[in-house]
Amino acid sequence: MEKSRVLVVGGTGYLGRRMVKASLAQGHETCVLMRPEIGLDIDKLQMLLSFKAQGARLLEASLDNHRGLVAAVKQVDVVVSAMSGVHFRSHNLLLQLKLVEAIKEAGNVKRFLPSEFGMNPARMGHALEPGRVSFDEKMEIRKAIEEANIPHTYISANCFAAYFVPNLCQMRTLLPPKEEVHVYGDGNVKAIFMDEDDVAAYTIRCIDDPRALNKTIYLRPEENILSQNELIAKWEKLSGKVLEKIPIPSEEFLASIKGTDLANQVGIG
Ligand code: NDP
């Protein structure tokens, strides 16, 4: 089977750069959107040039220029969007409505994968305010995709490992705790931790798979499903050091979010 040509939108982002790498590694002709708005951002430009050196094609277009975006989309079969959606970095999920418009008009795209890559937003009706904004916006994008009859795949990637594993799920840090560790509730709730490179590799695997057409794909390898207690135990074994456990009951956890900045409230929520 001929491999689809892929356009990665948000290609210099945390997840997007991994999508570019995975797409190239799996032998797809890979294009990356190069936005004129990057201006003097030398880091982004150099990353784009490194993609080019690895065989990617840079397609220059702005999300604000409908015609240019349609022309870019027309050159590929599959569009993968890794648009920002984390408040403490940047959060622009709804900009994808412009991408949906372009894909609809271009009419040639065989598969669109919008920026999801977390909990399945369709199953997050119970999520807290203000944190639910990302799920609500992801649902708004889904609605636009489905109304436009665009073939799609939604990837549910659960918890990115680098955000949740080295810190043993501690909030507001990415580093391992040294003496004590906050344990949420009884610490026995299971979560699914995904290596970000795996998220990208599995995502690219789905793009030409007919079984993934118009479906939600859950990434949940058996050995990545752990409770916080199990995660802590693994680290204690590795580091040879026992941490003091400080239980945080749910009411205390929720109360601790109040009054903090919005990005923190959204992230923790
Ligand atoms: P980033 O913050 O790294 O941003 C990704 C890209 O979004 C940027 O590189 C940029 O693309 C594009 N972008 C940002 N602002 C604008 C703008 N104003 N106009 C046009 N493009 C813009 O995103 P992440 O990689 O952190 O997040 C990607 C997805 O992954 C999101 O859906 C997020 O919710 C999800 N996620 C899931 C996590 C989990 O634990 N499951 C954790 C973190 C993220 P360009 O390259 O063109 O400059």
Side-chain angles (χ1 to χ4, degrees):
M1 193 176 70
E2 187 106 334
K3 292 208 171 196
S4 285
R5 296 165 300 170
V6 179
L7 170 64
V8 180
V9 175
T12 70
Y14 179 69
L15 185 62
R17 72 191 68 163
R18 293 172 166 84
M19 292 294 175
V20 176
K21 188 176 135 202
S23 177
L24 287 167
Q26 291 179 38
H28 292 276
E29 189 180 321
T30 304
C31 299
V32 185
L33 191 74
M34 178 166 71
R35 298 180 300 116
E37 292 85 4
I38 65 171
L40 300 180
D41 190 332
I42 193 84
D43 290 325
K44 270 193 198 293
L45 179 63
Q46 293 203 336
M47 199 186 301
L48 287 165
L49 292 175
S50 81
F51 294 152
K52 190 174 174 193
Q54 292 163 61
R57 208 146 58 85
L58 305 179
L59 298 185
E60 194 169 351
S62 167
L63 286 168
D64 290 327
N65 178 338
H66 178 69
R67 257 207 282 161
L69 201 53
V70 171
V73 162
K74 276 200 169 148
Q75 298 188 49
V76 298
D77 310 300
V78 171
V79 178
V80 177
S81 167
M83 178 59 69
S84 60
V86 179
H87 274 73
F88 59 82
R89 286 168 62 75
S90 69
H91 190 267
N92 294 299
L93 291 167
L94 290 181
L95 280 178
Q96 293 177 107
L97 290 171
K98 298 179 179 181
L99 192 54
V100 172
E101 274 307 306
I103 292 171
K104 184 177 163 186
E105 185 174 326
N108 61 300
V109 167
K110 291 196 299 198
R111 199 79 68 91
F112 176 43
L113 289 81
S115 190
E116 291 236 345
F117 311 113
M119 305 305 150
N120 179 356
R123 300 180 72 176
M124 295 305 286
H126 61 297
L128 293 176
E129 292 286 5
R132 56 171 309 118
V133 62
S134 302
F135 305 122
D136 292 342
E137 290 182 3
K138 286 176 181 179
M139 287 307 286
E140 204 174 324
I141 301 298
R142 283 190 180 194
K143 188 163 169 274
I145 293 170
E146 289 165 28
E147 280 176 3
N149 278 320
I150 295 170
H152 55 270
T153 300
Y154 305 136
I155 304 288
S156 171
N158 296 292
C159 300
F160 284 6
Y163 279 119
F164 294 100
V165 173
N167 57 4
L168 306 181
C169 310
Q170 307 303 285
M171 303 295 152
R172 307 195 101 162
T173 178
L174 297 170
L175 302 174
K178 298 208 170 45
E179 306 295 337
E180 52 189 44
V181 57
H182 289 166
V183 178
Y184 305 116
D186 64 7
N188 288 326
V189 174
K190 300 267 186 187
I192 305 166
F193 302 104
M194 285 299 302
D195 181 287
E196 292 82 343
D197 287 310
D198 290 347
V199 172
Y202 287 125
T203 299
I204 300 299
R205 284 282 177 93
C206 289
I207 62 179
D208 283 333
D209 191 328
R211 293 170 302 175
L213 177 63
N214 298 339
K215 294 265 167 44
T216 299
I217 300 296
Y218 291 93
L219 306 183
R220 47 184 175 199
E222 197 73 38
E223 64 272 31
N224 294 28
I225 305 176
L226 295 170
S227 68
Q228 194 192 3
N229 287 332
E230 288 167 331
L231 190 63
I232 294 168
K234 268 182 185 281
W235 173 245
E236 288 181 331
K237 197 164 165 219
L238 272 172
S239 65
K241 185 167 174 184
V242 175
L243 297 164
E244 185 189 345
K245 320 286 180 306
I246 302 180
I248 309 286
S250 55
E251 315 76 57
E252 196 181 313
F253 181 78
L254 291 175
S256 74
I257 307 176
K258 291 225 170 73
T260 63
D261 57 273
L262 182 72
N264 184 57
Q265 289 188 46
V266 171
I268 295 186

